[in-house]
Amino acid sequence: MLRSLVAKPHSSQCFIFNLSQKLLHGNGAAQFRATRAFTPRSVAGVSPPSKAIVYEEHGQPDAVTKLVEFPGVEVKENDVCVKMLCAPINPSDINRIQGVYPVRPELPAVGGYEGVGEVYSVGSAVTSLSPGDWVIPSPPSFGTWQTYIVKDQSVWHKIDKGVPMEYSATITVNPLTAFLMLEDGVTLSSGDAIVQNGATSMVGQCVIQLAKSRGIRSINIIRDRAGVDEVKETLKNLGADHVFTENELEVKNVKSFLNDIPEPALGFNCVGGNAASLVLKFLRQGGTMVTYGGMSKRPVTVPTSAFIFKELSLRGFWLQKWLSTEKAVESRRMIDKLLGLVHEGKLKYNMELAPFSDFNTSLDKALGKLGSQPKQVIKF
């Protein structure tokens, strides 16, 4: 069970948590540094009290996270107060809490990086948003695992309320990664092919569908597991041309499986180890493999012959770096396009929507404690 910490006013003064500042340690217990807030009479508005999943130190998420309740904060003239509707638990969220992700918020921190919310109130200078609008932080922003967020209006991007909230909450990190990897670097035309491992991941599912919509064939590699035939059928229903397990590809010439599909010009790797080597084996002369994850925690090993005789290229892709290069406007256009595909039924992926009260169970599922599970999305 998450340890709960409740913020209370001290004496007759009103205080709020400032989660961006460091912790003060005293009397054997950690306390948040507090900053004095304006009284409600001196401000245009104050947000409702909020509940958040907070961590004060890095470590295993199920050990260092706790539920914190804290008072409302001032909504300044350019601020927007958003009542969060839902937010996912992504692998990168877990890595940030563990302290192993390259970019991490200052501690103490609220978990979460993407999500969707409804505008609750706006500051006096805000004209582009109104209460009731649905918004996402775009580019994504730290601290989405909480019931209310107050941030400058520039953080928020208004979206279509006709898209299911769980898709709006998850549209940025994974679908946008898939979209950009297919668009960036290697020019693909209808009839070309791609190969990927980790095909059951959310990015993998999006790659299959986005490639299909452009007439691009896909070869998909999955790990051996119970119920593999059902998994294969699910991916083929999304548009996958071929789905192979790693064991099925332990042959001398994997390209014998291609049949009428051309040798892939582009491959995606999110696993590493042997699964990455299998992607390389499929690539055509001069092909490119893009690595965007390393779920197996094993290195990518490339035979010398692949460089010399096949002239393969290896690249990496990191969405957060791409978003940090003044791409906010461009990324919002892409997100709107992806949400349009969702609305049209042309982009879908497997998720499980769970209430905030069941956060512990959802976290265990995201950590892999309960076997293979769909993406966990918390509903506030």
Side-chain angles (χ1 to χ4, degrees), residues 20-49:
S20 66
Q21 298 187 36
K22 294 181 179 179
L23 287 170
L24 289 177
H25 296 274
N27 299 322
Q31 297 178 336
F32 288 108
R33 187 191 302 268
T35 58
R36 183 173 299 180
F38 293 101
T39 63
R41 290 175 297 178
S42 64
V43 297
V46 174
S47 70

Side-chain angles (χ1 to χ4, degrees), residues 244-261:
F244 302 108
T245 66
E246 292 182 31
N247 279 349
E248 288 173 338
L249 296 176
E250 292 301 324
V251 297
K252 186 174 182 179
N253 182 19
V254 297
K255 292 181 180 179
S256 63
F257 291 108
L258 290 178
N259 298 325
D260 62 331
I261 295 180

Side-chain angles (χ1 to χ4, degrees), residues 78-151:
N78 288 308
D79 285 345
V80 176
C81 174
V82 173
K83 180 184 185 299
M84 292 303 292
L85 299 173
C86 57
I89 303 176
N90 287 319
S92 55
D93 297 323
I94 292 170
N95 291 157
R96 287 187 183 93
I97 297 171
Q98 292 169 331
V100 299
Y101 204 72
V103 177
R104 304 179 293 273
E106 186 178 351
L107 299 181
V110 176
Y113 186 59
E114 66 174 334
V116 64
E118 183 177 76
V119 174
Y120 179 83
S121 64
V122 299
S124 58
V126 177
T127 58
S128 59
L129 295 171
S130 303
D133 288 343
W134 278 21
V135 292
I136 61 173
S138 180
S141 181
F142 297 129
T144 56
W145 293 353
Q146 56 184 315
T147 53
Y148 289 91
I149 302 177
V150 176
K151 289 192 176 182

Side-chain angles (χ1 to χ4, degrees), residues 135-195:
V135 292
I136 61 173
S138 180
S141 181
F142 297 129
T144 56
W145 293 353
Q146 56 184 315
T147 53
Y148 289 91
I149 302 177
V150 176
K151 289 192 176 182
D152 188 88
Q153 60 180 324
S154 62
V155 170
W156 304 106
H157 174 51
K158 182 179 176 179
I159 61 167
D160 182 3
K161 295 174 72 171
V163 175
M165 67 173 67
E166 61 269 32
Y167 280 94
S168 299
T170 57
I171 200 66
T172 303
V173 171
N174 293 294
L176 187 56
T177 292
F179 183 89
L180 287 168
M181 290 196 303
L182 282 167
E183 297 281 340
D184 255 7
V186 176
T187 301
L188 297 171
S189 302
S190 179
D192 287 340
I194 61 98
V195 57

Side-chain angles (χ1 to χ4, degrees), residues 102-348:
V103 177
R104 304 179 293 273
E106 186 178 351
L107 299 181
V110 176
Y113 186 59
E114 66 174 334
V116 64
E118 183 177 76
V119 174
Y120 179 83
S121 64
V122 299
S124 58
V126 177
T127 58
S128 59
L129 295 171
S130 303
D133 288 343
W134 278 21
V135 292
I136 61 173
S138 180
S141 181
F142 297 129
T144 56
W145 293 353
Q146 56 184 315
T147 53
Y148 289 91
I149 302 177
V150 176
K151 289 192 176 182
D152 188 88
Q153 60 180 324
S154 62
V155 170
W156 304 106
H157 174 51
K158 182 179 176 179
I159 61 167
D160 182 3
K161 295 174 72 171
V163 175
M165 67 173 67
E166 61 269 32
Y167 280 94
S168 299
T170 57
I171 200 66
T172 303
V173 171
N174 293 294
L176 187 56
T177 292
F179 183 89
L180 287 168
M181 290 196 303
L182 282 167
E183 297 281 340
D184 255 7
V186 176
T187 301
L188 297 171
S189 302
S190 179
D192 287 340
I194 61 98
V195 57
Q196 67 169 342
N197 58 36
T200 58
S201 68
M202 188 181 289
V203 171
Q205 294 175 61
C206 292
V207 163
I208 291 169
Q209 295 167 87
L210 294 173
K212 183 77 171 180
S213 70
R214 294 175 51 189
I216 297 167
R217 315 289 292 276
S218 68
I219 301 145
N220 302 274
I221 303 168
I222 62 175
R223 63 179 175 82
D224 296 272
R225 68 188 79 192
V228 70
D229 290 336
E230 183 180 347
V231 173
K232 286 184 176 185
E233 189 63 27
T234 297
L235 294 180
K236 287 181 178 179
N237 287 338
L238 292 178
D241 291 282
H242 286 308
V243 184
F244 302 108
T245 66
E246 292 182 31
N247 279 349
E248 288 173 338
L249 296 176
E250 292 301 324
V251 297
K252 186 174 182 179
N253 182 19
V254 297
K255 292 181 180 179
S256 63
F257 291 108
L258 290 178
N259 298 325
D260 62 331
I261 295 180
E263 294 180 43
L266 180 61
F268 300 131
N269 164 51
C270 68
V271 179
N274 181 60
S277 299
L278 292 173
V279 170
L280 292 171
K281 288 181 180 180
F282 273 107
L283 290 177
R284 75 184 187 194
Q285 183 82 16
T288 298
M289 182 174 79
V290 178
T291 292
Y292 66 97
M295 291 189 290
S296 72
K297 297 185 172 140
R298 294 174 184 155
V300 174
T301 304
V302 185
T304 303
S305 60
F307 283 122
I308 297 175
F309 304 117
K310 290 185 68 176
E311 299 180 292
L312 298 183
S313 298
L314 274 66
R315 294 176 41 205
F317 179 82
W318 184 26
L319 179 66
Q320 190 162 340
K321 182 178 180 181
W322 186 88
L323 289 170
S324 68
T325 57
E326 306 300 326
K327 300 282 190 179
V329 174
E330 186 178 353
S331 68
R332 289 181 177 187
R333 286 198 296 266
M334 293 176 178
I335 285 168
D336 288 341
K337 181 175 181 178
L338 289 167
L339 288 172
L341 291 175
V342 172
H343 187 70
E344 295 168 9
K346 296 178 180 178
L347 183 64
K348 55 188 176 181

